[in-house]
Amino acid sequence: MRKEFMLVIAALPLLAGGCIAKTAFDVVTLPVKAVGQTADWATTSQDEADRNAGRKLRKQEAREGRERKKHEEACRKAPDDCGPYQGYRAGDPEGDAD
């Protein structure tokens, strides 16, 4: 019984050594991972930029469609007062107030 107990006591540092080494490794690499994650959050990937640009353009086109529809309805009601569409145009940097 005493020999078995001594064997278990002797094996404990070997078993715990792997846990300690992994914990020390995690503590050392944690700042590097944190900086990498912060940089990832702070920057926009090309995929995100493309997705955001597409979303913005779709919103602009929807706005232009609504304004053109209003213009056409006004032209139907008063054709004498109607001229060519001079309203908002999607993708026009001069007319983009958003």
Side-chain angles (χ1 to χ4, degrees):
M1 176 82 173
R2 190 173 180 149
K3 286 184 180 181
E4 293 169 356
F5 182 70
M6 293 298 276
L7 184 62
V8 170
I9 297 282
L12 280 178
L14 296 173
L15 296 173
C19 296
I20 293 171
K22 180 171 178 1
T23 304
F25 178 76
D26 289 343
V27 169
V28 170
T29 59
L30 185 65
V32 174
K33 291 178 182 178
V35 169
Q37 185 65 43
T38 303
D40 188 38
W41 286 336
T43 58
T44 304
S45 70
Q46 187 62 47
D47 185 43
E48 290 171 318
D50 291 344
R51 188 172 48 243
N52 293 340
R55 183 178 298 128
K56 183 178 177 183
L57 187 59
R58 284 190 300 277
K59 285 182 180 182
Q60 290 175 348
E61 289 171 345
R63 177 180 169 191
E64 181 181 358
R66 287 189 304 270
E67 290 193 14
R68 281 187 182 271
K69 186 176 179 180
K70 284 182 188 177
H71 176 74
E72 290 170 2
E73 288 175 6
C75 285
R76 279 194 296 273
K77 290 179 182 178
D80 296 334
D81 297 335
C82 186
Y85 178 73
Q86 296 294 323
Y88 179 81
R89 296 188 195 293
D92 183 14
E94 295 174 9
D96 194 13
D98 293 288

